[in-house]
Amino acid sequence: MKKYLFVLRKPAHSGAQVQEMLDIILTTAAFDQQVGILLIDDGVFQLKNGQQPNIAGMKDVAAIFKALEIYDVHDVYAEVESLLERGLKPKDLCLPVREFYRKDIASLMKRYDVVFSG
């Protein structure tokens, strides 16, 4: 089994690419592959509590993230500096995350066989 890390950099409602990446993540996990997700830069907003995308006619990506457990995706990471720079704390997110400092991201990526950036 290969290990896949998906690096999400864009905010939740920034276009079709976010939804497409989530679809790829769920598809990969559905085929019993080990999947991890790393949220960096504005990607940390994807897990922010209290989003109301339906007002803008968009899908609730936080709800999709909550479905990850069904697919045995438990490795969700967030970059500490990205959270701090955006005024967020782990308690502001809809899922528990493991925090990694920017200096440690490269070593995290080395744990995975395939790294997708989106």
Side-chain angles (χ1 to χ4, degrees), residues 9-19 22 42-48 51 53 58-62 65:
R9 300 174 183 267
K10 298 189 182 286
H13 309 292
S14 61
Q17 183 182 10
V18 171
Q19 182 63 47
L22 288 172
D42 286 339
V44 296
F45 286 124
Q46 292 192 33
L47 292 182
K48 187 175 183 302
Q51 297 182 46
M58 304 183 108
K59 286 187 178 182
D60 184 4
V61 295
F65 275 104

Side-chain angles (χ1 to χ4, degrees), residues 54-117:
N54 53 340
I55 293 172
M58 304 183 108
K59 286 187 178 182
D60 184 4
V61 295
I64 297 169
F65 275 104
K66 290 177 184 175
L68 292 174
E69 189 172 351
I70 297 168
Y71 292 87
D72 286 330
V73 177
H74 304 287
D75 297 327
V76 181
Y77 312 100
E79 184 189 66
V80 172
E81 291 86 349
S82 293
L83 290 169
L84 292 173
E85 289 165 2
R86 287 150 184 87
L88 297 173
K89 297 177 182 161
K91 68 178 178 78
D92 298 324
L93 307 178
C94 65
L95 287 178
V97 296
R98 287 191 237 168
E99 296 177 86
F100 270 79
Y101 286 95
R102 192 166 285 153
K103 66 180 180 60
D104 299 322
I105 296 295
S107 64
L108 172 66
M109 289 181 173
K110 287 179 183 178
R111 297 181 193 175
Y112 289 84
D113 300 308
V114 181
V115 178
F116 285 99
S117 183

Side-chain angles (χ1 to χ4, degrees), residues 29-44:
F31 284 97
D32 293 326
Q33 301 300 312
Q34 187 172 344
V35 171
I37 299 170
L38 171 61
L39 301 158
I40 60 174
D41 301 328
D42 286 339
V44 296

